[in-house]
Amino acid sequence: MQLCDSPRMVTVSIDKCFFEKPAKEGQLLKIYGYPTKLGTTSIVLYMEARAHNVYTGNQIVVLKTNIRFVRIDEEGNPIPINEKGRNRIAKLIQENMITE
């Protein structure tokens, strides 16, 4: 919602979830993500869940996946992501391509 500058975003697909390590009960999980693809009405985010050790600050990736979101109107129909959101997302995708 924040990236697309829109209050109406819905999840349309979640790719395979790769469970890298087990998370333990009571463990603090932190969720991280960044955009990888931008369509006319949709965005794909790469997402990671990391187990966070509150004593050491160390983090271990426990889950990886890609999630696709679509911007919709009041009736639930897909609508284009506006220019402000598209520019923001395109910049983030470009920055992540450079750092990978």
Side-chain angles (χ1 to χ4, degrees), residues 9-28:
M9 298 294 294
V10 294
T11 304
V12 290
S13 67
I14 300 175
D15 285 352
K16 294 178 182 175
C17 292
F18 296 96
F19 293 91
E20 305 286 323
K21 301 268 184 183
K24 298 181 177 100
E25 185 177 338
Q27 199 166 29
L28 175 64

Side-chain angles (χ1 to χ4, degrees), residues 18-64:
F18 296 96
F19 293 91
E20 305 286 323
K21 301 268 184 183
K24 298 181 177 100
E25 185 177 338
Q27 199 166 29
L28 175 64
L29 295 180
K30 291 189 172 187
I31 308 295
Y32 297 90
Y34 57 85
T36 58
K37 294 181 186 173
L38 176 62
T40 302
T41 62
S42 67
I43 179 174
V44 175
L45 298 180
Y46 168 79
M47 304 293 293
E48 282 184 357
R50 300 179 190 172
H52 178 83
N53 184 312
V54 296
Y55 300 108
T56 66
N58 292 339
Q59 294 184 7
I60 298 171
V61 175
V62 296
L63 178 118
K64 297 178 183 179

